[in-house]
Amino acid sequence: MMLEKLQATSHRRFNPLTGEWVIVSPHRTLRPWQGQEEEVSAPSALAHDPKCYLCAGNIRANGARNPDYTSTFVFDNDFAALKPDAPETRLDDGLFVAEGESGLCRVVCFSPRHDLTLARMSLTEIAAVVDCWAAETKALAARPDITSVQIFENRGEIMGCSNPHPHGQIWASRHLPNEMVKEGARQQEYFTRHGRPLLTDYLKRELEIKTRIICENDHFVVLVPFWAVWPFETLVLPRRTVSSLDDLSAAERTGLAEALSAITVRYDNLFSVSFPYSMGFHQRPMDDKPHPEWTLHGHFYPPLLRSATVKKFMVGFEMLGGPQRDITPEAAAACLRALSARHYLESR
Ligand code: H2U
Ligand code: ZN
């Protein structure tokens, strides 16, 4: 591929998963920054915080007491954005369209330890989180009123996360959310045309080219996608074509835990801070139809740009036109790949 011709100048790249373009401006990385500097919150020093609503044994906002859990702990969000009993009513007069949206919101505590993060949890502990996600996926997918199981983690105050206790969320809904609709349509189109899943072909090419690969194990690969928007955005891909977390074998779940550990440790090491991000998994629609076109994958979207204090803003042209990045995905991958696989707090 003749990417060299474009590497040093402004160009745009196509995202085959969403059908959207991103502008890349590598010549712009040296521009001075006199704007706002962020403060990235340090991890808590407390293993158990009596004021935390997620810590074991503590009382939550709705008065319920958390059990003395020792691994993962899942509960229904006390302030759920989706209600299971919303009516199916649909209004559509050709211009004003609205419909009831029902679903369930769950909160997943990754560990009873208030002071840990995925980056600082052991492989066994992370594997328990993966098992928990798989079990939740299976249980929610079995419900006739659920077609989308969206698992995600919002890390860090800068991302609007309300609590440092290691936790994520699951929003399961009747309808497919926007990103799932875009990715589903593109994967279906590719599968119809080529008879193979889009992301299987994509991973094969990335493994040949190698420049965007960060780390890999027997079952999963972490890379900076060719079309990454966020400076240090990554994609987590399974080697075997598998469409949901509950389809992973035991060995693959361990492989996913290893991959999550490897990338989150590198993220923390990048600027020697507890690295903020939004991450989550896209898995097939849970509608009882076969989905050979769908490949399970994880997205990490970190907001930091060039240091622990400078954040990328999606404003101006990006709000009105489309996304733009400065540092190339290849340069970002090289940066992340070169980092130590050992957490900076442990190598001191
Ligand atoms: P975030 O920090 O990612 O926003 O997640 C915390 C979630 O926990 C949030 O969605 C819920 C909030 O509604 N929560 C409870 O369910 N019970 C509580 O007692 C406080 C917070
Ligand atoms: Zn806590």
Short mmCIF file of all heavy atoms in Angstrom, two decimals, residues 46-56 58 69 111-115 163-166, ligand 2:
data_model
loop_
_atom_site.label_atom_id
_atom_site.label_comp_id
_atom_site.label_asym_id
_atom_site.label_seq_id
_atom_site.Cartn_x
_atom_site.Cartn_y
_atom_site.Cartn_z
N LEU A 46 -7.09 4.54 49.17
CA LEU A 46 -7.84 3.67 50.09
C LEU A 46 -8.26 2.36 49.43
O LEU A 46 -8.87 2.36 48.37
CB LEU A 46 -9.12 4.38 50.54
CG LEU A 46 -8.98 5.67 51.33
CD1 LEU A 46 -10.36 6.30 51.54
CD2 LEU A 46 -8.31 5.39 52.68
N ALA A 47 -7.96 1.23 50.06
CA ALA A 47 -8.42 -0.07 49.55
C ALA A 47 -9.93 -0.22 49.75
O ALA A 47 -10.61 -0.86 48.97
CB ALA A 47 -7.67 -1.20 50.24
N HIS A 48 -10.42 0.41 50.83
CA HIS A 48 -11.87 0.44 51.08
C HIS A 48 -12.22 1.85 51.52
O HIS A 48 -11.62 2.38 52.46
CB HIS A 48 -12.26 -0.57 52.17
CG HIS A 48 -13.74 -0.58 52.44
ND1 HIS A 48 -14.37 0.33 53.26
CD2 HIS A 48 -14.72 -1.38 51.96
CE1 HIS A 48 -15.67 0.09 53.29
NE2 HIS A 48 -15.91 -0.95 52.51
N ASP A 49 -13.17 2.49 50.80
CA ASP A 49 -13.56 3.85 51.14
C ASP A 49 -14.96 3.80 51.76
O ASP A 49 -15.92 3.45 51.08
CB ASP A 49 -13.54 4.71 49.88
CG ASP A 49 -13.95 6.15 50.14
OD1 ASP A 49 -14.40 6.46 51.27
OD2 ASP A 49 -13.83 6.98 49.22
N PRO A 50 -15.07 4.17 53.03
CA PRO A 50 -16.38 4.09 53.69
C PRO A 50 -17.45 4.95 53.00
O PRO A 50 -18.64 4.70 53.14
CB PRO A 50 -16.11 4.59 55.11
CG PRO A 50 -14.68 5.00 55.18
CD PRO A 50 -13.99 4.62 53.91
N LYS A 51 -17.01 5.96 52.22
CA LYS A 51 -17.97 6.84 51.55
C LYS A 51 -18.33 6.39 50.14
O LYS A 51 -19.16 7.00 49.48
CB LYS A 51 -17.39 8.26 51.46
CG LYS A 51 -17.26 8.96 52.81
CD LYS A 51 -17.19 10.48 52.59
CE LYS A 51 -16.60 11.18 53.78
NZ LYS A 51 -15.12 11.22 53.72
N CYS A 52 -17.67 5.29 49.65
CA CYS A 52 -17.90 4.86 48.27
C CYS A 52 -19.15 3.98 48.18
O CYS A 52 -19.30 3.01 48.92
CB CYS A 52 -16.69 4.07 47.79
SG CYS A 52 -16.99 3.22 46.24
N TYR A 53 -20.03 4.29 47.21
CA TYR A 53 -21.27 3.51 47.09
C TYR A 53 -21.06 2.17 46.38
O TYR A 53 -21.98 1.40 46.23
CB TYR A 53 -22.38 4.32 46.43
CG TYR A 53 -22.00 4.92 45.10
CD1 TYR A 53 -21.97 4.15 43.94
CD2 TYR A 53 -21.65 6.27 44.99
CE1 TYR A 53 -21.61 4.69 42.73
CE2 TYR A 53 -21.29 6.82 43.78
CZ TYR A 53 -21.27 6.02 42.65
OH TYR A 53 -20.91 6.57 41.45
N LEU A 54 -19.81 1.94 45.90
CA LEU A 54 -19.55 0.66 45.23
C LEU A 54 -18.73 -0.30 46.10
O LEU A 54 -18.64 -1.50 45.80
CB LEU A 54 -18.82 0.88 43.89
CG LEU A 54 -19.58 1.71 42.85
CD1 LEU A 54 -18.74 1.90 41.59
CD2 LEU A 54 -20.91 1.06 42.48
N CYS A 55 -18.12 0.20 47.15
CA CYS A 55 -17.31 -0.67 48.01
C CYS A 55 -18.19 -1.70 48.73
O CYS A 55 -19.37 -1.46 49.01
CB CYS A 55 -16.55 0.17 49.04
SG CYS A 55 -14.96 0.77 48.44
N ALA A 56 -17.58 -2.85 49.03
CA ALA A 56 -18.28 -3.95 49.69
C ALA A 56 -18.83 -3.50 51.03
O ALA A 56 -18.17 -2.75 51.77
CB ALA A 56 -17.32 -5.13 49.87
N ASN A 58 -21.01 -1.37 51.82
CA ASN A 58 -21.51 0.00 51.94
C ASN A 58 -22.95 0.14 51.45
O ASN A 58 -23.44 -0.71 50.71
CB ASN A 58 -20.62 0.97 51.17
CG ASN A 58 -19.26 1.14 51.83
OD1 ASN A 58 -19.01 0.55 52.88
ND2 ASN A 58 -18.39 1.92 51.21
N TYR A 69 -18.70 -8.60 48.79
CA TYR A 69 -18.19 -9.34 47.63
C TYR A 69 -16.67 -9.38 47.61
O TYR A 69 -16.01 -8.49 48.15
CB TYR A 69 -18.77 -8.78 46.33
CG TYR A 69 -18.36 -7.35 45.97
CD1 TYR A 69 -17.34 -7.12 45.06
CD2 TYR A 69 -19.00 -6.24 46.52
CE1 TYR A 69 -16.97 -5.83 44.70
CE2 TYR A 69 -18.63 -4.94 46.18
CZ TYR A 69 -17.62 -4.74 45.26
OH TYR A 69 -17.25 -3.48 44.92
N SER A 111 -13.85 -5.14 41.08
CA SER A 111 -13.07 -5.66 42.21
C SER A 111 -13.57 -4.99 43.48
O SER A 111 -14.06 -3.86 43.43
CB SER A 111 -11.59 -5.29 42.00
OG SER A 111 -10.87 -5.36 43.22
N PRO A 112 -13.45 -5.66 44.63
CA PRO A 112 -13.81 -4.97 45.88
C PRO A 112 -12.78 -3.89 46.24
O PRO A 112 -13.09 -3.00 47.02
CB PRO A 112 -13.81 -6.09 46.92
CG PRO A 112 -13.01 -7.19 46.33
CD PRO A 112 -13.06 -7.05 44.84
N ARG A 113 -11.60 -3.96 45.65
CA ARG A 113 -10.53 -3.00 45.97
C ARG A 113 -10.82 -1.64 45.33
O ARG A 113 -10.78 -1.48 44.12
CB ARG A 113 -9.19 -3.55 45.46
CG ARG A 113 -8.59 -4.64 46.36
CD ARG A 113 -7.83 -4.04 47.54
NE ARG A 113 -6.74 -3.18 47.14
CZ ARG A 113 -5.49 -3.59 46.89
NH1 ARG A 113 -5.19 -4.87 47.01
NH2 ARG A 113 -4.55 -2.75 46.53
N HIS A 114 -11.05 -0.65 46.16
CA HIS A 114 -11.40 0.70 45.72
C HIS A 114 -10.25 1.38 44.98
O HIS A 114 -10.45 2.26 44.14
CB HIS A 114 -11.79 1.52 46.96
CG HIS A 114 -12.28 2.90 46.66
ND1 HIS A 114 -13.57 3.16 46.27
CD2 HIS A 114 -11.64 4.10 46.71
CE1 HIS A 114 -13.71 4.47 46.08
NE2 HIS A 114 -12.56 5.05 46.35
N ASP A 115 -9.00 0.96 45.30
CA ASP A 115 -7.82 1.65 44.79
C ASP A 115 -7.25 1.03 43.51
O ASP A 115 -6.23 1.48 43.01
CB ASP A 115 -6.73 1.67 45.87
CG ASP A 115 -6.38 0.27 46.37
OD1 ASP A 115 -7.22 -0.65 46.20
OD2 ASP A 115 -5.28 0.08 46.91
N ASN A 163 -16.89 8.04 40.02
CA ASN A 163 -16.32 7.31 41.16
C ASN A 163 -15.06 6.53 40.73
O ASN A 163 -15.11 5.81 39.73
CB ASN A 163 -17.41 6.33 41.67
CG ASN A 163 -17.00 5.61 42.93
OD1 ASN A 163 -15.82 5.37 43.19
ND2 ASN A 163 -17.98 5.23 43.72
N PRO A 164 -13.94 6.66 41.46
CA PRO A 164 -12.71 5.96 41.05
C PRO A 164 -12.76 4.45 41.27
O PRO A 164 -11.92 3.72 40.74
CB PRO A 164 -11.62 6.59 41.94
CG PRO A 164 -12.35 7.07 43.15
CD PRO A 164 -13.72 7.48 42.67
N HIS A 165 -13.74 3.97 42.04
CA HIS A 165 -13.84 2.52 42.27
C HIS A 165 -13.92 1.82 40.90
O HIS A 165 -14.70 2.22 40.05
CB HIS A 165 -15.10 2.21 43.09
CG HIS A 165 -15.09 0.82 43.63
ND1 HIS A 165 -14.96 0.54 44.98
CD2 HIS A 165 -15.15 -0.38 43.00
CE1 HIS A 165 -14.96 -0.78 45.14
NE2 HIS A 165 -15.07 -1.35 43.96
N PRO A 166 -13.09 0.76 40.67
CA PRO A 166 -13.09 0.13 39.33
C PRO A 166 -14.45 -0.48 38.99
O PRO A 166 -14.89 -1.42 39.64
CB PRO A 166 -12.01 -0.94 39.44
CG PRO A 166 -11.86 -1.21 40.90
CD PRO A 166 -12.16 0.08 41.59
ZN ZN B 2 -15.11 1.83 46.54
#
